[in-house]
Amino acid sequence: MENQEKKRILSMYQCTGTFTLGNYLGALRNHIKLQEEGYDCVYALADLHALTVRQVPAELRKYTKEAYAFLLAMGLNLEKTVFFIQSQVPQHAELAWILNCYTQFGELSRMTQFKDKSAKHADNINAGLFTYPCLMAADILLYQADYVPVGADQKQHVEIARDIAERFNGIYGDTFTVPEPMIPKHGARVMSLQNPLSKMSKSDENQNGNISVLDDPDTIMRKFKRAKTDSGSEVRFGEGKDGVNNLMGIYAAVTGKTFEEIEREFEGKGYGEFKPAVAEAVIAELRPIQERYREIVADKAFLEQTYREQAPRAQAIAQRTLSKVMKKVGLVQ
Ligand code: TRP
């Protein structure tokens, strides 16, 4: 009963590599905080989505378990939050099929992510890549989510999920909560350290551009020291100073300081002092999480037991929606 009054938040994460500092500061850290802000959170690892691009099977499995352990290490609280692996909850694939039949070829063709990814993987434009938004809509609608926290790149997918929900509700009567995108208040947009005009990404060709949340302190220090900055040496936020702006954004996100405070702190000091300070702050932020992470991954039995126990919790919620849908569309139960 209590849970029905709380607004539900749903988010899922692709787990095709180790999370980056960008994932951490831009999304994960804020999503973990939402647990404490009176929301009913449902989180999952989107391993079925990962299959739209060819994966090395052993690696996908490894990254999925690592990502699971990492979110636990960050303080994801299983008493408050349901946290599962998508493929362990078959209702996602089942509802996705049904939603495929309520989504138009034309609207899927207009998805910018589909256009980008099919340009990038021209040799593997598979049907899953095309209908990816239907699976994502199923992820969201199964849980009757009120809000989906997303970055700009996923907003279009939440919008199509809304369109699908409204269309279905229009034909069959109220079935799905129509979800709203939630644009995070404090989500830092972290750019590549080597090319501050593009987003930090685990698939960056230049690994010096991306900080992995599992990088050791020496690596983090080295990458920050090599970070591209502009000519000039003043630590000051400004137009065209993308490298420094990015470092300031990271430092602000980690320390909670404002840009003015940072400018004052480094007044008269150059990039040479600023870069290692940013690195130290990031190292200090990640250290306790990395320590807990190592304990959790070392205990394979615990990890396995945990995600196995979570799947039925998610299935119970998801099945309620799926049963309603099956009945409405005329499937025999
Ligand atoms: N498509 C999202 C991404 O690439 C991951 C995702 C899958 C997701 N299902 C979701 C995000 C449902 C929010 C809600 O980042």
Side-chain angles (χ1 to χ4, degrees):
M1 201 54 214
E2 194 193 306
N3 274 358
Q4 303 215 312
E5 286 156 27
K6 284 190 182 175
K7 293 289 184 194
R8 177 166 285 160
I9 290 187
L10 180 128
S11 186
M12 299 206 186
Y13 312 99
Q14 290 248 28
C15 41
T16 53
T18 306
F19 290 129
T20 67
L21 183 64
N23 300 133
Y24 174 82
L25 291 176
L28 300 174
R29 197 176 62 154
N30 302 301
H31 298 180
I32 297 286
K33 282 190 198 141
L34 292 168
Q35 296 179 125
E36 316 300 330
E37 292 175 10
Y39 292 104
D40 170 16
C41 301
V42 176
Y43 295 151
L45 300 178
D47 60 343
L48 293 176
H49 280 91
L51 298 181
T52 54
V53 173
R54 196 71 70 237
Q55 304 293 336
V56 177
E59 282 188 6
L60 178 59
R61 226 176 334 261
K62 171 174 153 277
Y63 285 132
T64 305
K65 292 180 190 175
E66 274 186 18
Y68 198 93
F70 189 79
L71 269 108
L72 293 182
M74 280 183 66
L76 187 141
N77 181 346
L78 295 172
E79 276 165 27
K80 293 187 173 165
T81 298
V82 186
F83 177 41
F84 62 96
I85 299 172
Q86 186 185 32
S87 60
Q88 300 195 338
V89 180
Q91 287 83 357
H92 290 248
E94 292 179 63
L95 182 61
W97 172 257
I98 297 174
L99 298 183
N100 274 330
C101 305
Y102 293 83
T103 309
Q104 299 303 306
F105 182 87
E107 56 189 338
L108 291 173
S109 312
R110 286 192 291 275
M111 292 283 119
T112 44
Q113 185 172 298
F114 172 69
K115 289 192 252 176
D116 291 349
K117 285 203 179 170
S118 41
K120 220 163 139 189
H121 304 277
D123 55 338
N124 184 19
I125 307 179
N126 59 73
L129 196 61
F130 188 63
T131 62
Y132 181 115
C134 297
L135 179 58
M136 184 157 157
D139 297 340
I140 298 167
L141 302 180
L142 275 175
Y143 299 89
Q144 308 288 349
D146 298 289
Y147 299 113
V148 183
V150 280
D153 62 322
Q154 293 297 318
K155 195 155 167 263
Q156 200 183 23
H157 287 155
V158 179
E159 274 154 14
I160 196 173
R162 288 172 59 89
D163 292 343
I164 296 170
E166 281 170 352
R167 181 174 309 145
F168 196 96
N169 289 348
I171 304 172
Y172 299 103
D174 268 357
T175 310
F176 296 124
T177 302
V178 179
E180 289 192 35
M182 183 182 199
I183 307 298
K185 274 179 254 150
H186 311 289
R189 187 170 152 82
V190 179
M191 313 305 280
S192 159
L193 299 184
Q194 289 299 316
N195 175 11
L197 291 174
S198 77
K199 213 171 105 177
M200 183 180 282
S201 155
K202 50 197 163 215
S203 53
D204 198 331
E205 279 146 41
N206 186 343
Q207 283 301 308
N208 285 323
N210 121 39
I211 303 279
S212 141
V213 292
L214 298 179
D215 277 347
D216 60 62
D218 290 345
T219 306
I220 295 176
M221 182 58 76
R222 179 172 47 77
K223 289 180 179 174
F224 273 106
K225 282 188 173 164
R226 285 192 194 166
K228 281 247 161 58
T229 36
D230 356 72
S231 56
S233 66
E234 252 188 314
V235 179
R236 203 161 275 284
F237 193 88
E239 208 173 310
K241 299 187 33 169
D242 304 293
V244 178
N245 294 351
N246 186 35
L247 294 180
M248 286 179 74
I250 293 171
Y251 193 65
V254 172
T255 61
K257 293 177 184 165
T258 64
F259 283 3
E260 292 87 78
E261 286 168 335
I262 298 171
E263 287 171 359
R264 234 175 296 131
E265 184 179 349
F266 292 93
E267 180 105 62
K269 302 173 184 168
Y271 297 160
E273 273 181 74
F274 182 49
K275 288 180 184 179
V278 181
E280 286 299 351
V282 169
I283 291 166
E285 168 86 14
L286 293 177
R287 179 175 290 126
I289 302 172
Q290 291 184 348
E291 279 167 10
R292 276 195 300 277
Y293 168 80
R294 275 186 232 111
E295 284 168 25
I296 295 169
V297 279
D299 191 347
K300 285 208 179 86
F302 164 78
L303 188 60
E304 195 175 313
Q305 189 194 342
T306 306
Y307 59 69
R308 284 204 180 158
E309 279 172 6
Q310 290 295 304
R313 281 180 81 192
Q315 286 169 14
I317 307 172
Q319 187 56 44
R320 254 177 270 149
T321 303
L322 183 63
S323 295
K324 258 203 252 177
V325 169
M326 291 175 74
K327 192 167 163 210
K328 293 199 174 190
V329 301
L331 300 174
V332 176
Q333 298 195 66

